[in-house]
DNA sequence: TCGATTATTGCCCGAACGACAATAATATTA
DNA sequence: TAATATTATTGTCGTTCGGGCAATAATCGA
């Protein structure tokens, strides 16, 4: 019995809930799937599917088997791809996901150069602040704040994600430059909202965390719009240094400094990381992208 | 092409370095392996093996593929086993590894009861203080000091591994009972040697770690022998509470207590953990053993 | 209750795999 | 250096396995 074929048939039947539809995907008659799945069940000595003449249901053990088989099929596909693309030029589809802000301001511009350098790679970029599962195989590369979830994935630190406080020169002229973090509460605040909630201004005094946020004049998950607000002198804003660098360079925003360092969470050194599955680094398109992004950002 | 069969053939050829020997394991002529591997190479579009008429060598990409394929074959075997043994009685071979001391004193006696309860499970116990890789599939269950290496494996805390200082009554009568950790250096020490080195006596004073070890009169990786030395009044010994409980109960050794807690490493709460692969909990023999050991020790 | 959809079973055919023998090449030994 | 034996490959044949097609049985929906 060609178990691998049986697994693919079974898997598709489970996904589509129908022998007929699954058969269509393989361009073979439904009878083939029926027989192959039956073979598989005999081989395993258990019923994977509960069939009636008109419908298919997955049994409890069938569902368990299905779940575990996904890993097998995915791993094998990856291994085959690794060999097939061995010492070939980078090509094919490359799926990247990134934090929205970083994606818009840094990643997408960089990828323009990448596309020029590797025209045969088709980019599929998804910007989202939700954390997608790298292992589910819906993505080749991910850019995230945080660290490596487990040992099979590699996480390379691209740059710091340190939040710094800034304000427009006009705002500071009118409201005064705050000399201490405690004075911040007399000011106006512009806040970035992450999927995990807003980002209050925190500082550590005598080993204890204190919230020194100013009253809010703007809250959004859109970094560009918030920065615009800050440039117009609406208030003080905290955002990652990489997101503000352009404004600071142009003199539109000034970085504030205090004796006590300010941050937006209790783990200030959560950097921006590039994440990928270790063993997939051998695939040319992935190696090319990783090397390119590391070279560009680190 | 039955790729799975080809993978098994290829894998065996790599392991044995010979088509003939590999063919013998499958009870098929070598010509079959030759053809199947050739099919596989054609399918992948790359040479996996460098052949001369008398010998076989693995190519670079062949070696990479071989390594990755091992995971695929192992996962598939596990999945099949899960289904096959679904709602069957615990049976078959069960491979357990454990720390030597814990194994001798606690695990092996417990397993006597386990064997009586599940006579169809054939136990294969390996005692070693080296950390074996659970994922390499050479072991079903592991008992280790420490924590979970990654998210796919489950680690259940069985009991504390706190080291406590003890000495024989006769020794204390002769040498005096140390009142403070600093006095320990005037005493005689009996030390356990782990694979990571010996276990000095440490205590934390003003947030700083200090070594308060006494001069050594005995060092060994054999806990039973060391305990014997302590019983005979040769010196003070630090060992896990579970290893000393029997001696203390019999009054052969007395637990020493200090105002400053003593330990043998800078991470005192490294407990004894039972470790297994999460998804394999569905296999009856593994579920039975995990449940049994947790019930027994926790 | 009737009709249509869906899974299964029977039968035939082609392709794939194993068995066996023969061949070519190379490592080992004299 | 030459002879021998071992080892991988190739050719040929027969069996088995899986796909194609048609017919059947069972069930969901109208």
């Amino acid at each position: 019995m060609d178990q691998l074929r049986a697994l693919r048939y079974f898997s598709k039947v489970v996904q589509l809930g129908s022998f007929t539809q699954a058969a269509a995907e393989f361009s073979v008659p439904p009878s083939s799937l029926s027989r192959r799945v039956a073979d598989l069940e005999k081989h395993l000595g258990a019923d994977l599917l509960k069939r009636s003449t008109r419908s298919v249901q997955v049994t409890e053990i069938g569902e368990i088997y299905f779940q575990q088989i996904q890993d097998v099929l995915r791993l094998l596909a990856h291994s085959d791809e690794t060999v097939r693309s061995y010492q070939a030029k980078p090509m094919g589809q490359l799926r990247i996901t990134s934090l929205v802000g970083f994606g818009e301001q840094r990643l997408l511009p960089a990828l323009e150069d990448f596309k020029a350098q590797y025209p045969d790679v088709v980019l599929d970029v998804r910007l989202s602040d939700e954390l997608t599962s790298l292992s589910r195989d819906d993505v080749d590369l991910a850019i995230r704040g945080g660290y490596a979830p487990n040992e099979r994935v590699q996480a390379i630190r691209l740059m710091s994600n340190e939040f710094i406080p800034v304000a427009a020169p006009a705002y500071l002229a009118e409201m005064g430059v705050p000399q201490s973090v405690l004075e911040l509460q007399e000011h106006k605040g512009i806040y970035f909202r992450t999927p995990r909630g807003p980002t209050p201004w925190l500082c550590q005094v005598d080993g204890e965390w204190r919230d020194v946020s100013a009253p809010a004049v703007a809250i959004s998950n859109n970094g560009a719009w918030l920065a615009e607000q800050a440039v117009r002198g609406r208030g003080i804003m905290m955002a990652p240094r990489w997101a503000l660098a352009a404004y600071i360079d142009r003199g539109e925003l000034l970085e504030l400094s205090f004796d006590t360092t300010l941050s937006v969470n209790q783990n200030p050194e959560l950097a921006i990381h590039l994440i990928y599955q270790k063993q997939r680094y051998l695939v040319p398109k992935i190696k090319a992208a990783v090397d390119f992004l590391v070279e560009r950002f680190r």
Side-chain angles (χ1 to χ4, degrees), chain A residues 166-184:
Chain A
V166 293
Y171 173 88
L172 294 173
E174 180 192 346
M175 301 284 293
V177 179
Q179 299 301 319
S180 119
V181 289
L182 297 178
E183 290 178 26
L184 284 174

Side-chain angles (χ1 to χ4, degrees), chain A residues 85 92 105 129 285:
Chain A
S85 62
Q105 298 195 32
D129 287 330
K285 67 184 178 191

Side-chain angles (χ1 to χ4, degrees), chain A residues 6-281:
Chain A
L7 291 180
R8 288 195 244 266
Y9 284 180
F10 166 67
S11 191
K12 192 61 86 180
V13 170
V14 172
Q15 284 165 355
L16 300 179
S18 154
F19 277 87
T20 309
Q21 289 181 43
E25 298 239 342
F26 293 105
S27 305
V28 294
S31 56
S32 286
L33 302 228
S34 176
R35 281 187 234 265
R36 288 329 122 218
V37 174
D39 289 348
L40 183 61
E41 288 176 314
K42 204 164 115 190
H43 172 70
L44 296 173
D47 289 344
L48 301 174
L49 301 176
K50 213 164 73 185
R51 312 125 131 102
S52 70
T53 42
R54 285 271 315 223
S55 66
V56 186
Q57 267 189 318
V58 191
T59 64
E60 182 185 338
I61 186 63
E63 178 65 29
I64 293 170
Y65 193 60
F66 170 76
Q67 291 298 342
Q68 301 198 2
I69 284 310
Q70 301 312 305
D71 281 347
V72 175
L73 296 177
R74 183 166 42 77
L75 273 183
L76 181 59
H78 281 175
S79 299
D80 283 9
E81 185 187 9
T82 301
V83 176
R84 257 196 269 266
S85 62
Y86 181 62
Q87 61 192 17
K89 281 197 296 189
M91 55 190 301
Q93 193 178 357
L94 181 68
R95 291 157 303 181
I96 308 181
T97 179
S98 166
L99 296 163
V100 177
F102 187 86
E104 287 172 344
Q105 298 195 32
R106 298 303 203 97
L107 181 63
L108 290 178
L111 288 183
E112 287 304 313
D113 295 344
F114 182 81
K115 278 169 71 172
Q117 197 169 337
Y118 301 104
D120 295 335
V121 174
V122 179
L123 291 172
D124 175 359
V125 183
R126 310 174 197 190
L127 300 187
S128 163
D129 287 330
E130 311 292 332
L131 23 83
T132 61
S133 59
L134 188 68
S135 64
R136 285 275 181 262
D137 193 36
D138 40 10
V139 136
D140 298 311
L141 259 51
I143 293 178
R144 287 284 171 271
Y147 29 83
N150 70 53
E151 57 183 3
R152 287 201 162 181
V153 311
Q154 181 77 346
I156 298 183
R157 182 193 154 105
L158 286 184
M159 59 177 63
S160 164
N161 198 29
E162 179 197 7
F163 276 57
I164 58 171
V166 293
Y171 173 88
L172 294 173
E174 180 192 346
M175 301 284 293
V177 179
Q179 299 301 319
S180 119
V181 289
L182 297 178
E183 290 178 26
L184 284 174
Q185 306 191 7
E186 314 293 328
H187 281 263
K188 300 172 184 170
I190 299 175
Y191 296 95
F192 187 74
R193 183 201 307 282
T194 70
R196 283 181 295 279
T199 53
W201 302 344
L202 304 173
C203 64
Q204 203 169 10
V205 183
D206 298 334
E208 206 165 324
W209 288 94
R210 284 194 51 181
D211 187 332
V212 294
S213 304
V217 295
I219 304 176
S220 171
N221 61 351
N222 186 307
W225 181 76
L226 287 179
E228 192 57 32
Q229 300 298 307
V231 168
R232 293 188 186 171
R234 301 278 162 80
I236 295 175
M237 173 185 188
M238 284 194 73
R241 184 181 296 279
W242 52 261
L244 299 172
Y247 298 95
I248 294 176
D249 285 350
R250 288 195 297 269
E252 294 176 349
L253 292 173
L254 296 177
E255 177 176 355
L256 305 174
S257 61
F258 303 97
D259 46 353
T260 310
T261 42
L262 214 53
S263 71
V264 294
N265 58 54
Q266 299 189 2
N267 196 353
E269 252 321 305
L270 286 183
I272 301 281
H273 286 272
L274 173 63
I275 300 173
Y276 60 92
Q277 301 224 22
K278 260 188 200 144
Q279 58 177 7
R280 301 212 72 208
Y281 183 70

